[in-house]
Amino acid sequence: MSPRDRSVVTVAALIARNQIVEMPYHFNLALDNGMKPGELSEIITHLAFYSGWANATTAVAVAKDIFDARKIRPDQLPPAGGPRLPLDEGAEAQRAARVAEDVGATAPGLEQYTTDVLFRDLWLRPGLAPRDRSLVTVSALIALGHGAQIPYHLNRAMDNGLTKTEASEVLTHLAFYAGWPNAMSAVPVAKGVFEKRPR
């Protein structure tokens, strides 16, 4: 993985785990490694949904201080609204059907927000490339030990251009930032994804 990708993985893990002490150093390193301020902003926004509002607002406070020190203005960051990336209607229909079957009868509000907010808005924001958005999501899920969610998102990440070698390196890298148990627990899940994907 490139230094920038390693920073993406590290920043995602730190935000997901609310590890505030390490955030200033690694946010600055990410920017030094080629991450754009708008991408850091988008990672925080994305993780508000995948690791919780409180973790994201903590990260916002850290990023604000760094942006102030680097003279990065709000108008240099992605707007809340604006055009979205095109939606893959076929893939979205399949995803929505699975969520409806698994979640709809138990938590219809969660099903609706998953479609309307996550997959028809957040995932289509152009401030972060789909591959990077997937890399952030997979990294956060591994860092949080959410094994049941990894197969869908790892497949999506690989569909978005993440290679098997890069995905393997994410596991290794996260052992140092999220702990060996989280990385080791994700290995059989990743192995199952790799084995089921066409070569």
Side-chain angles (χ1 to χ4, degrees):
M1 282 192 307
S2 69
R4 180 192 170 280
D5 282 355
R6 286 188 187 281
S7 283
V8 169
V9 172
T10 305
V11 164
L14 294 176
I15 295 169
R17 295 169 59 83
N18 206 21
Q19 294 175 320
I20 190 169
V21 172
E22 294 294 320
M23 284 182 197
Y25 173 79
H26 284 286
F27 286 11
N28 274 303
L29 181 61
L31 294 168
D32 292 342
N33 282 339
M35 183 184 293
K36 296 174 186 159
E39 292 171 328
L40 179 56
S41 175
E42 278 297 311
I43 289 171
I44 295 168
T45 300
H46 190 81
L47 288 175
F49 294 91
Y50 283 90
S51 67
W53 243 231
N55 292 11
T57 56
T58 298
V60 164
V62 174
K64 181 187 182 309
D65 290 344
I66 290 166
F67 289 174
D68 287 347
R70 289 179 174 242
K71 308 226 181 313
I72 297 165
R73 300 179 319 273
D75 64 350
Q76 294 174 274
L77 304 176
R84 297 296 189 244
L85 298 173
L87 179 68
D88 179 338
E89 296 286 349
E92 173 56 15
Q94 289 177 348
R95 186 218 49 82
R98 280 193 308 274
V99 171
E101 183 179 324
D102 294 344
V103 177
T106 305
L110 182 58
E111 175 194 357
Q112 180 180 351
Y113 287 130
T114 299
T115 294
D116 297 345
V117 178
L118 281 179
F119 287 97
R120 291 184 178 262
D121 186 17
L122 182 71
W123 276 89
L124 301 178
R125 289 176 59 84
L128 197 60
R131 176 194 173 275
D132 291 343
R133 204 170 282 284
S134 284
L135 183 59
V136 167
T137 306
V138 169
S139 298
L141 294 173
I142 294 169
L144 293 170
H146 294 319
Q149 296 293 309
I150 294 170
Y152 171 80
H153 284 288
L154 182 54
N155 271 301
R156 185 179 180 111
M158 295 178 83
D159 290 345
N160 284 336
L162 190 72
T163 68
K164 179 182 173 186
T165 301
E166 291 167 335
S168 295
E169 195 60 26
V170 169
L171 292 165
T172 303
H173 189 84
L174 284 172
F176 292 89
Y177 289 92
W180 250 251
N182 284 332
M184 293 295 279
S185 294
V187 167
V189 179
K191 180 181 178 196
V193 170
F194 296 160
E195 288 175 349
K196 290 178 183 167
R197 287 184 67 82
R199 300 215 181 262

